[in-house]
Amino acid sequence: MVTGPDHILRLIAFGLGGLAALAAAFEFRDAVAPEQAPASVTEPADDPLRATLRRCRALDVGEVETDIVCREAWAENRRRFFAPGGSGSGREEE
């Protein structure tokens, strides 16, 4: 491999280009606006199934398998979701 002045200058140029790209990445990392969370659908506060499902999501897999209330809640949620003519959201239409 030949290490002449042209080769050394080329290596220096690539190194400076890499440093410039790295500095730009750090500079623009904070400049990008954070993504906004999608608008959440308001859930009815009086739906006990939603509250039960929320509690069951926090459990471990083994705990959910032995928790009869959680298993019944998930079955009811599936029934609502797959019901013919249902809204598909798991909630009953008013």
Side-chain angles (χ1 to χ4, degrees):
M1 183 168 175
V2 179
T3 57
D6 291 337
H7 186 70
I8 293 173
L9 288 175
R10 189 174 294 138
L11 288 175
I12 291 172
F14 281 122
L16 289 176
L19 287 175
L22 187 63
F26 280 119
E27 184 67 30
F28 290 122
R29 176 186 59 183
D30 297 329
V32 175
E35 293 182 19
Q36 294 180 353
S40 63
V41 177
T42 56
E43 295 180 6
D46 59 344
D47 190 3
L49 179 63
R50 292 280 169 205
T52 304
L53 292 174
R54 202 173 297 119
R55 180 188 67 82
C56 293
R57 275 188 221 116
L59 298 177
D60 291 333
V61 176
E63 294 172 332
V64 173
E65 290 176 356
T66 59
D67 193 340
I68 296 171
V69 174
C70 286
R71 292 176 61 152
E72 289 174 355
W74 285 114
E76 173 64 18
N77 191 46
R78 281 190 301 275
R79 186 195 62 76
R80 285 186 187 183
F81 184 81
F82 290 114
S87 65
S89 65
R91 281 187 230 129
E92 295 179 9
E93 300 279 330
E94 291 185 53

